[in-house]
């Protein structure tokens, strides 16, 4: 019985620490830092991730963004919707399955003027196999069930208990990619 109570307390503590649906980290005085401190504007202007300066930052929608220059911060403040990563910075391919996980700094794509992050190169190429369909699915799941959820509970729900009808494993996606392209992913 004591072990059950301890387990319940640990699960409850983990759930509380995972509140929110944004892919954030804690660094120094920034407890909800987006993009691990990388400059969101630089993805558009430099075409690559650029580390932000902790002294040059702005808050938006409850999270903190860092910038590599004051000019980039000013651009962001004027139009944050243009630069914020989609799906709270989570992997766009994971969002196709309503699973908020991943979202690496150096694997990204700008689609229709919006920033999308991916959990790895495999996730990106699988997403690109049917980009328009996957955008629609990801947008729908983000709006209908992920955006205002606890990311950890949402992940557990969709990974362990209730997969979406079109769910595919990484192995299945790799096989599909190989059939379409004649190449192995990666």
């Amino acid at each position: 019985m004591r072990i059950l109570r301890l387990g319940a307390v640990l699960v409850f503590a983990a759930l509380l620490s995972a509140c929110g649906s944004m892919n954030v980290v804690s660094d120094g005085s920034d407890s909800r830092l987006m993009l691990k401190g990388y400059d969101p504007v630089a993805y558009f202007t430099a075409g690559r991730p650029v580390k932000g300066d902790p002294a040059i930052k702005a808050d938006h929608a409850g999270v903190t963004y860092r910038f590599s220059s004051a000019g980039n911060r000013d651009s962001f403040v004027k139009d944050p919707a243009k630069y914020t990563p989609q799906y709270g910075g989570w992997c766009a391919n994971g969002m196709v399955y309503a699973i908020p996980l991943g979202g690496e700094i150096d694997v990204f794509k700008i689609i229709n003027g919006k920033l999308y992050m991916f959990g790895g190169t495999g996730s990106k190429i699988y997403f690109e196999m049917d980009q328009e369909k996957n955008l629609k699915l990801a947008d729908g799941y983000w709006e209908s069930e992920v955006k205002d959820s606890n990311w950890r509970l949402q992940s557990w729900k969709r990974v362990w208990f209730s997969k979406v009808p079109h769910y595919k494993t990484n192995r299945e996606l790799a096989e599909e990619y190989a059939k379409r392209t004649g190449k192995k992913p990666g």
Side-chain angles (χ1 to χ4, degrees):
M1 189 65 151
R2 188 171 187 199
I3 291 174
L4 282 175
R5 260 190 243 148
L6 177 62
V9 168
L10 290 174
V11 167
F12 183 71
L15 294 177
L16 284 178
S17 69
C19 290
S21 59
M22 302 294 256
N23 187 3
V24 294
V25 297
S26 180
D27 183 50
S29 64
D30 299 320
S31 62
R32 293 182 47 81
L33 183 62
M34 182 58 83
L35 294 172
K36 298 179 184 172
Y38 282 77
D39 182 337
V41 177
Y43 286 96
F44 295 86
T45 59
R48 62 183 175 82
V50 175
K51 191 80 167 157
D53 182 333
I56 308 171
K57 57 188 175 180
D59 291 333
H60 174 70
V63 297
T64 301
Y65 291 87
R66 291 181 183 167
F67 304 91
S68 57
S69 71
N72 280 7
R73 180 189 55 211
D74 294 345
S75 294
F76 179 87
V77 169
K78 285 179 189 167
D79 191 3
K82 179 177 179 176
Y83 300 107
T84 55
Q86 301 303 292
Y87 315 132
W90 300 110
C91 175
N93 196 54
M95 204 55 57
V96 171
Y97 306 104
I99 301 171
L101 291 173
E104 294 301 319
I105 294 309
D106 58 345
V107 186
F108 69 97
K109 185 172 185 179
I110 296 173
I111 305 169
N112 301 324
K114 299 289 183 184
L115 176 62
Y116 294 83
M117 309 307 291
F118 295 91
T121 56
S123 292
K124 184 179 178 196
I125 63 173
Y126 301 151
F127 187 87
E128 291 171 333
M129 284 193 297
D130 197 345
Q131 183 170 292
E132 292 309 310
K133 176 185 170 193
N134 288 333
L135 280 170
K136 287 179 185 169
L137 286 167
D139 286 348
Y141 286 122
W142 175 252
E143 288 299 323
S144 68
E145 67 179 83
V146 179
K147 183 166 81 174
D148 296 320
S149 73
N150 173 301
W151 73 267
R152 188 162 288 158
L153 283 177
Q154 178 66 28
S155 293
W156 288 346
K157 171 183 139 183
R158 286 303 188 177
V159 169
W160 299 108
F161 302 108
S162 176
K163 289 182 174 42
V164 296
H166 56 273
Y167 181 83
K168 293 180 184 176
T169 66
N170 280 337
R171 182 178 177 188
E172 292 169 322
L173 289 166
E175 289 170 358
E176 183 178 338
Y177 180 82
K179 282 181 187 175
R180 288 179 181 219
T181 66
K183 300 182 233 175
K184 287 186 176 183

